[in-house]
Amino acid sequence: MTKIRTCRGAAKRFKITGTGKIMAYGANHGHKLGKKSMRKKKLMLKKRVLQGADARNMKRLVPYLKG
């Protein structure tokens, strides 16, 4: 059986915590920032834990990623 290939783009964007949870940055922080409040922009810069189906899909893309 061959090894599963790691999606390199996903490996650069996501990190795994010590307990196995996947952390990702918030979306919508690329452009059109003038109408967004400073509080909203700061929250989008923080990493957050992926939940449910998102976490399952990312674990398939990065099967060998370490924390």
Side-chain angles (χ1 to χ4, degrees):
M1 194 71 182
T2 58
K3 289 184 181 178
I4 303 168
R5 293 295 298 256
T6 296
C7 176
R8 298 310 298 160
K12 293 169 189 172
R13 288 174 172 84
F14 301 102
K15 298 293 176 221
I16 294 190
T17 64
T19 57
K21 296 175 185 169
I22 297 184
M23 303 288 288
Y25 285 109
N28 306 318
H29 201 267
H31 59 107
K32 293 186 179 176
L33 299 175
K35 60 174 79 174
K36 295 172 184 156
S37 69
M38 186 57 70
R39 182 177 186 276
K40 192 175 183 91
K41 287 187 268 192
K42 284 181 182 178
L43 285 174
M44 285 188 273
L45 274 176
K46 292 182 179 176
K47 284 193 172 187
R48 58 193 68 185
V49 177
L50 292 182
Q51 309 254 333
D54 288 335
R56 264 196 316 279
N57 291 337
M58 286 309 118
K59 283 191 179 180
R60 287 186 192 128
L61 287 177
V62 284
Y64 307 113
L65 193 64
K66 298 287 187 264

